[in-house]
DNA sequence: CGTCGAGTTTGACACTCGTCGAATCCGATG
DNA sequence: CATCGGATTCGACGAGTGTCAAACTCGACG
């Protein structure tokens, strides 16, 4: 069992990704996109679930995109989004490893 | 396989916790505390690893405490911190479930 | 009981972030 | 090519955040 204290540069990278998840709107957006497994989701479908205006939703989608958590593709008049499973898995593993290490005896 | 779109109130709660992880200093603090499995860590041990001043580190520890990610206990002149594994595990499971759901076929 | 050291709280400041309205871009369709 | 609708970008404003210096709290120790 390795007791890894996370390097400073890794911390910066992970923190940026977690920051993308630190907003309720973004968390719900990601969840809604993830919930449609193979299907793709267009922005117009997402808008209905929020009170925020289109520019705000678009801003949040951009934050998620810049964080590498989702990808967007334009087809015809609509933009479709998908999640990047590996990105979520990486975060999950970091938290799980920390939880395990902390639980283990000295 | 349940395709869960996460309720709005859950999103608020999770977002608050992720916000606590959205700073490199806090991420390293948590990691350093988690790395000392059974042992407890006093603030004086943590301070050496950072350029930030004691008030700043103390502030970050409070954020992690308020988020329920760590607990602190004062003994004699020193305060010792421990992580709360279940809190980390909950976040890990959320991300893992989303990654799995997104990977699964429609 | 006075002092010292570990840690936290307070107050202030620069900076970032979420939000919206207005303007813009980009395909499609007439 | 003019127009329309979906989506994004721009500009601005109020709220929140990270940081530090200074002041404070709490045990311990002489």
């Amino acid at each position: 069992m390795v007791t890894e204290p996370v390097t400073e540069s890794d911390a910066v990278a992970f923190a940026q990704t977690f920051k993308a998840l630190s907003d309720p709107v973004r968390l719900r957006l990601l969840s809604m996109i993830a919930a449609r497994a193979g299907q793709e989701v267009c922005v117009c479908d997402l808008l209905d679930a929020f009170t925020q205006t289109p520019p705000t939703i678009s801003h949040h989608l951009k934050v998620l995109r810049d964080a590498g958590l989702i990808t967007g593709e334009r087809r015809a008049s609509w933009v479709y989004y998908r999640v990047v499973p590996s990105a979520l898995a990486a975060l999950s593993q970091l938290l799980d490893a920390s939880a395990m290490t902390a639980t283990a005896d000295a």
Side-chain angles (χ1 to χ4, degrees), chain A:
Chain A
M1 172 71 69
V2 188
T3 58
E4 29 63 69
V6 164
T7 74
E8 184 163 355
S9 55
D10 279 355
V12 172
F14 277 118
Q16 282 181 340
T17 311
F18 280 127
K19 186 179 297 183
L21 297 175
S22 69
D23 183 277
V25 174
R26 286 198 291 269
L27 219 44
R28 288 177 61 208
L29 282 170
L30 183 69
S31 169
M32 293 173 66
I33 297 172
R36 315 289 187 83
Q39 314 176 38
E40 297 168 300
V41 189
C42 89
V43 178
C44 51
D45 290 338
L46 299 170
L47 285 175
D48 298 341
F50 297 89
T51 62
Q52 280 80 356
T53 62
T56 299
I57 299 300
S58 190
H59 162 68
H60 285 307
L61 287 170
K62 178 176 169 53
V63 172
L64 290 172
R65 233 185 308 134
D66 291 347
L69 295 170
I70 63 176
T71 59
E73 179 195 355
R74 183 179 202 110
R75 274 208 311 279
S77 291
W78 299 274
V79 177
Y80 297 92
Y81 282 98
R82 277 196 299 269
V83 307
V84 179
S86 61
L88 296 180
L91 297 178
S92 175
Q93 285 170 21
L94 172 69
L95 294 174
D96 200 51
S98 298
M100 302 271 260
T101 304
T103 307
D105 301 345

